C-alpha cells in the first residue's frame, strides 16, 4: 500500500465506511479533509455496527492514527457526543489516535440554528455546515486554535448576541438559549482541546516515513460546491482538489478510488434525473435499506447515472472503482442505466436483463450470475476504469476482488 484516496462519485452514501474499514487495517494514517458531521459512514465489523459522522473511519480498526484536517469544520459538541458513543461501543479515542487541525473552523450552535432557518430549501443535514463555511470564507469564522488560546467562548458570545438580533428582527424564529449553549460549549472545549494540533506537520512526517496514508472523502462529487448540482450541494470541495487544500500537504495518490453504488440515491433536495418515483424506486429503497445515516430520512432512489459518474471520473482521475450494493439489484426483471441525455435533458437509458438469484456474500466473480457480470463489465467499459472491487453485502468479507486493493 502507499497513498490512497477514496471519493464518492455520486451524491454520497456510496458505501465509504466499508471501503475505509477494509483499507484502514493497512493504513498508518487516515485523513478527513473536508466536511464535518454531515457525513454518515457506516462501518460493520462482525456483528458490530458503527456510524461515524466526523471522526475518520480509521478509528475503528484501532491501528491507524486519524486526522481531521484544516479543510474540515468541527462542532465541539457533536465531537464530544461521537467520542462518548464510540466509548460505549468499546473504542477509546485518545489524542495519540486522533489529531484535529488548529486551522479547522468551529461549527457553533449559532451555525446550526442558521442552517435550520436559512437552508430549508436545500434539505441539509442541519449540522451547521454551510453557515460555518460561510463564516470561514467571509473571514468572520473562528478556528479551533481559539479553543487552545482561550478566546473561543468570547467569540461565541459575540456571535450569539449579533444573531439574536437577526433572529428577532429578520428570521422570526426562536433563537437558541445562549447561556445553555455556553455551558455546553465550556464542557466540550475541555474535551476537544487535547486533540488539537498541527496536522500539516503530522501528515508530512508520515509522508517522510513512507507510511501508508489514506484520505477519506465525505459526500460525493455531485455534492461538490463547484462541480455538483449547485445550489443543491454541500459547502465543501468533495472532489480531489479538496484533498490538497483540506489536508494541506502535497502528495501523489497512487490509488484514486472512486466509489460507485450500483444504482443511485440522493438525500435532500435537488436535481436527480434518473430518480424513480414509483414502485421500482420503492423496491430499491427497501432492498438497499436506503435511509440516511445522519438524519434517518428516506433516500430518493433511482437508476445508475453513468453520464454523471463519468464526469466524476474525469474530475477525480479515478484509477480504481469500487462498485457497492450490487446484491441489492437481485430480483429486478430489468435494470436500467443512464448513458446520456437527450436534447430535452432527459436521460437516455440502456436496459439490461436482471437476475433472480440472491448474491449477498458472494466472493468469487465466477459465482455471480452471467447478467450481473455483464452489468459490471458494461459500467467498467463505459468508465474506461477497472472495477477492482465489487461489494456484495454489508459485511467486511462480502467482497469480490477483481484487482488487488493494495
Ligand atoms: P456521506 O459522507 C448523503 C446532502 C444533504 C443535503 C446537501 C447539503 O455519508 O456520503 P449539508 O448538511 O452538507 O449542508 O447538506 O448534502 N449530504 C449528504 N448526502 N451523504 C452525505 O455524506 C451527505 N452530506 C450531506 O442531504 O442535500
Ligand atoms: Mg451519508
Amino acid at each position: 500500500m502507499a497513498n490512497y484516496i477514496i471519493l464518492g462519485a455520486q451524491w454520497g452514501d456510496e458505501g465509504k465506511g466499508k471501503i475505509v474499514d477494509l483499507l484502514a487495517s493497512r493504513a498508518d494514517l487516515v485523513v478527513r479533509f473536508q466536511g464535518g458531521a454531515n457525513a454518515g459512514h457506516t462501518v460493520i465489523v462482525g456483528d458490530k455496527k458503527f456510524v461515524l459522522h466526523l471522526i475518520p473511519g480509521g478509528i475503528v480498526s484501532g491501528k491507524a492514527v486519524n486526522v481531521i484536517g484544516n479543510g474540515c469544520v468541527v462542532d465541539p459538541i457533536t465531537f464530544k457526543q461521537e467520542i462518548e458513543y464510540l466509548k460505549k461501543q468499546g473504542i477509546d479515542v485518545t489524542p495519540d489516535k486522533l489529531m484535529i487541525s488548529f486551522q479547522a473552523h468551529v461549527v457553533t450552535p449559532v451555525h446550526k440554528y442558521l442552517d435550520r432557518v436559512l437552508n430549508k430549501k436545500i434539505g441539509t443535514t442541519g449540522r451547521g455546515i454551510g453557515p460555518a463555511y460561510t463564516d470561514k470564507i467571509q473571514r468572520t469564522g473562528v478556528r479551533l486554535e481559539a479553543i487552545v488560546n482561550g478566546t473561543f467562548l468570547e467569540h461565541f458570545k459575540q456571535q450569539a448576541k449579533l444573531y439574536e438580533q437577526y433572529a428577532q428582527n429578520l428570521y422570526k424564529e426562536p433563537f437558541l438559549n445562549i447561556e445553555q449553549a455556553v455551558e455546553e460549549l465550556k464542557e466540550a472545549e475541555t474535551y476537544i482541546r487535547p486533540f488539537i494540533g498541527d496536522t500539516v506537520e503530522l501528515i508530512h512526517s508520515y509522508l517522510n516515513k513512507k507510511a501508508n496514508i489514506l484520505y477519506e472523502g465525505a459526500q460525493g462529487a455531485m455534492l461538490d460546491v463547484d462541480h455538483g448540482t449547485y445550489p443543491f450541494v454541500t459547502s465543501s470541495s468533495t472532489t480531489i482538489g479538496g484533498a490538497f487544500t483540506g489536508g494541506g500537504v502535497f502528495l501523489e495518490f497512487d490509488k484514486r478510488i472512486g466509489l460507485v453504488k450500483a444504482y443511485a440515491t440522493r438525500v435532500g433536495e435537488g436535481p436527480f434525473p434518473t430518480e424513480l418515483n414509483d414502485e421500482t424506486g420503492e423496491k430499491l429503497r427497501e432492498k438497499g435499506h436506503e435511509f440516511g445515516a445522519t438524519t434517518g430520512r428516506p433516500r430518493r432512489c433511482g437508476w445508475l447515472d453513468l453520464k454523471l459518474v463519468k464526469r466524476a471520473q474525469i474530475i477525480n482521475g479515478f484509477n480504481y472503482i469500487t462498485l457497492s450494493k450490487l446484491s441489492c439489484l437481485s430480483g429486478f426483471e430489468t435494470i436500467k442505466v443512464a448513458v446520456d441525455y437527450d436534447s430535452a435533458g432527459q436521460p437516455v437509458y440502456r436496459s439490461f436483463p436482471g437476475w433472480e438469484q440472491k448474491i449477498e456474500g458472494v466472493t468469487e466473480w465466477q459465482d455471480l450470475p452471467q447478467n450481473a457480470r455483464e452489468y459490471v463489465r458494461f459500467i467498467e467499459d463505459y468508465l474506461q476504469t477497472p472495477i477492482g472491487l465489487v461489494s456484495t453485502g454489508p459485511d467486511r468479507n462480502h467482497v469480490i476482488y477483481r484487482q488487488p486493493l493494495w
Side-chain angles (χ1 to χ4, degrees), residues 5 29 52 94-95 107 133 139 144 168 175 185 196 209 223 261 263 281 294 340 359 368 374 400 406:
I5 184 163
L29 193 71
L52 301 166
T94 48
V107 179
Y133 277 114
R139 295 155 298 176
L144 284 157
Q168 280 161 3
F175 198 57
L185 283 169
I196 302 170
K209 280 193 285 194
L223 288 173
K261 180 146 65 179
Y263 49 95
T294 302
D340 208 346
I359 56 170
L368 285 181
E374 270 168 29
I400 299 170
W406 44 76

Side-chain angles (χ1 to χ4, degrees), residues 75-95:
D75 175 352
I77 295 168
T78 45
F79 174 78
K80 177 171 176 270
Q81 286 163 353
E82 196 159 321
I83 299 266
E84 281 167 352
Y85 156 80
L86 284 167
K87 195 165 196 164
K88 268 195 211 132
Q89 305 271 317
I91 297 174
D92 210 5
V93 184
T94 48

Side-chain angles (χ1 to χ4, degrees), residues 199-353:
T199 52
V200 167
E201 287 293 342
L202 184 71
I203 297 171
H204 187 236
S205 72
Y206 273 78
L207 201 57
N208 273 347
K209 280 193 285 194
K210 303 213 179 320
N212 298 326
I213 301 177
L214 170 65
Y215 272 54
E216 174 185 356
Q219 290 84 45
M222 291 307 132
L223 288 173
D224 184 282
V225 68
D226 286 270
H227 299 291
T229 44
Y230 191 89
F232 300 97
V233 293
T234 191
S235 297
S236 65
S237 300
T238 62
T239 50
I240 199 160
F244 296 107
T245 50
V249 177
F250 175 75
L251 71 170
E252 287 178 54
F253 292 109
D254 307 278
K255 267 214 170 86
R256 300 176 295 277
I257 303 175
L259 307 188
V260 179
K261 180 146 65 179
Y263 49 95
T265 60
R266 154 155 230 177
V267 204
E269 300 306 312
F272 184 178
T274 60
E275 181 171 17
L276 294 163
N277 286 311
D278 58 9
E279 273 168 30
T280 313
E282 194 58 48
K283 189 166 160 185
L284 279 172
R285 186 174 310 116
E286 237 166 70
K287 287 190 168 251
H289 308 289
E290 295 293 353
F291 296 88
T294 302
T295 57
R297 287 177 286 178
R299 294 177 183 142
R300 300 158 63 190
C301 296
W303 297 123
L304 178 62
D305 188 335
L306 275 182
K307 186 87 175 166
L308 289 186
V309 175
K310 181 69 189 176
R311 181 86 180 175
Q313 205 286 333
I314 292 168
I315 293 165
N316 290 310
F318 297 140
N319 56 11
Y320 187 106
I321 300 276
T322 70
L323 188 70
S324 67
K325 293 201 150 177
L326 186 67
S327 46
C328 302
L329 289 182
S330 293
F332 287 89
E333 199 179 330
T334 306
I335 295 167
K336 290 186 182 178
V337 178
V339 291
D340 208 346
Y341 291 97
D342 64 18
S343 53
Q346 291 306 307
V348 177
Y349 287 106
R350 162 102 189 228
S351 294
F352 292 84

Side-chain angles (χ1 to χ4, degrees), residues 11-14 16 38-41 219 267 292-294 299:
W11 284 283
D13 304 323
E14 300 92 351
K16 287 179 278 280
N38 48 348
H41 298 172
Q219 290 84 45
V267 204
T294 302
R299 294 177 183 142

